[in-house]
Amino acid sequence: VSAHRVVVVGAGFGGLSVARHLGNQPDIDVLVVDRANYHLFQPLLYQVATAGLEPADIAHPARGILRRHRNVRFRSGEVTGVDWDTRRLLVKGSAPIPFDSLVLAAGARTATFGVPGVDEHAFGLKRLQDAVGLRSHLLRQFEQADADPTQVDLGALNVVVVGGGPTGVEMAGAFTELFHVVFARDFPRLPIHRARVVLVEMADELLTPFVRPLRNAARRDLYHKGVELELGRSVAEVDAKGVRLDDGRLIPARTVLWAAGVQAEPLGAALGLATTRGGRVVVGHDLAVPDHERVWAIGDLAASPDEEGEILPQLAPVAIQGGAYVAERILARDTGEQPRPFHYVDRGTMATIGRRAAVAQLPWGIRFTGTLAWLAWLGLHLIQLIGFRNRLSVLLNWAWNYVTWDRAARIIVDVERHPDE
Ligand SMILES: Cc1cc2nc3c(=O)[nH]c(=O)nc-3n(C[C@H](O)[C@H](O)[C@H](O)COP(=O)(O)OP(=O)(O)OC[C@H]3O[C@@H](n4cnc5c(N)ncnc54)[C@H](O)[C@@H]3O)c2cc1C
């Protein structure tokens, strides 16, 4: 009997979870397809963008992760469609890939909601290129202002962060520390005190998924770090000069980070599947795609319901647990047993605001802030990183940054587009 062929699209948190749970299982062949050749640890992307870590600290080669399972292979390629009749996946630049079971775990991308100028003038923070591009752009603004101080009046040192969720809060905190601690020493001739970090959030509060005391703590911490908060305000337009708010004010800024929303990768539509408004693939309580046999969608790509039918948030643990669940379904494929619904276990959420400042919200009403939450955040992220080398490198970088108040990764690298991207 030939092995059961499982194809997994995406080597993110969800895809790797499926592959690992099927690793070394008899009679199963797994092929993981990803357009990148690495797994990206997105929760630490903002530290690459703000020169705290190097790209290789948070990206791990997919082949290196998967090679310990003899029945799991990897292929680098972009999935563009499917032939449902012959059950073959279409991949750009390579032959179609046949499958018996298919798991879609392609993740999400930045959503600009059609706000004018965002595509052209703002940076998202989803891919490694985004973080390296943003870091280089920011450093270049400071270099240019150093060469021509009249640029300061035009907002060359200012940054606007749009979106008051965890990513926006983390970035705003990290920018102020970078400016006032590191750039103040790097650029002694520049008036760093005039470098503004403005955080724009449409709601009246930051970190809306957190309980009120933690939201207030985050707000207080950012305020003390010198972040200007524009709450209850939305962005009308972004252009080369800055950000125009909905009340007509222009915030002059050359660097704009768009952390106001994500949407699923367009894979669902490319495969002709039913999707929600945010492009997420509609799945049942068993994470299966309706009307397609042995096809599942997990993680950020899927609109996974909890037991009450509420759609689960786009978070790493949802993808990881979804992956483990689907692997179990694949292993139980011939038993004929009725699947129990997917049950997500929420072990809590955290967000960091900067040096010795973070908020943590755990089950059973446990919450904490400040140094303790910050240490918990550091520890948890270190544990979750893949690979001993990455953990060691991140730990060393963090220790170095903490003790010396420095950031080693403030390097300008021009990210050029490949002709066929
Ligand atoms: C800046 C940032 C900070 C975050 N912080 C946290 C946090 O602190 N805690 C938390 O729980 N979550 C956090 N998240 C969310 C978390 O990273 C996601 O929920 C998680 O990555 C989802 O896993 P996934 O497997 O669904 O998708 P991903 O991890 O995004 O992986 C999807 C993979 O699919 C590949 N892919 C996409 N389309 C195709 C295609 N057509 N063909 C081939 N390959 C394709 C991509 O290259 C990618 O490798 C953060 C996200 C960001 C962007």
Side-chain angles (χ1 to χ4, degrees), residues 9-16 33-36 38-46 77-80 91 104-109 125-127 166-167 170 262 265-267 298-302 313-320 344 348-351 377 381 384:
V9 184
F13 288 100
L16 285 190
V33 187
D34 199 301
R35 61 178 172 215
Y38 53 82
H39 166 76
L40 179 64
F41 192 79
Q42 293 171 20
L44 289 178
L45 257 186
Y46 84 95
E78 177 159 5
V79 175
T80 52
V91 183
L104 305 171
R109 54 165 67 178
L125 194 65
K126 238 358 212 157
R127 304 165 309 159
T167 300
E170 285 167 356
V262 292
E265 280 288 334
L267 188 67
I298 56 171
D300 284 5
L301 181 76
Q314 285 161 302
L315 289 172
V318 177
I320 293 168
Y344 169 61
T349 3
M350 297 190 203
W377 185 93
H381 283 77
Q384 288 177 337

Side-chain angles (χ1 to χ4, degrees), residues 98-118:
F99 59 85
D100 298 313
S101 287
L102 177 64
V103 187
L104 305 171
R109 54 165 67 178
T110 303
T112 62
F113 306 118
V115 175
V118 175

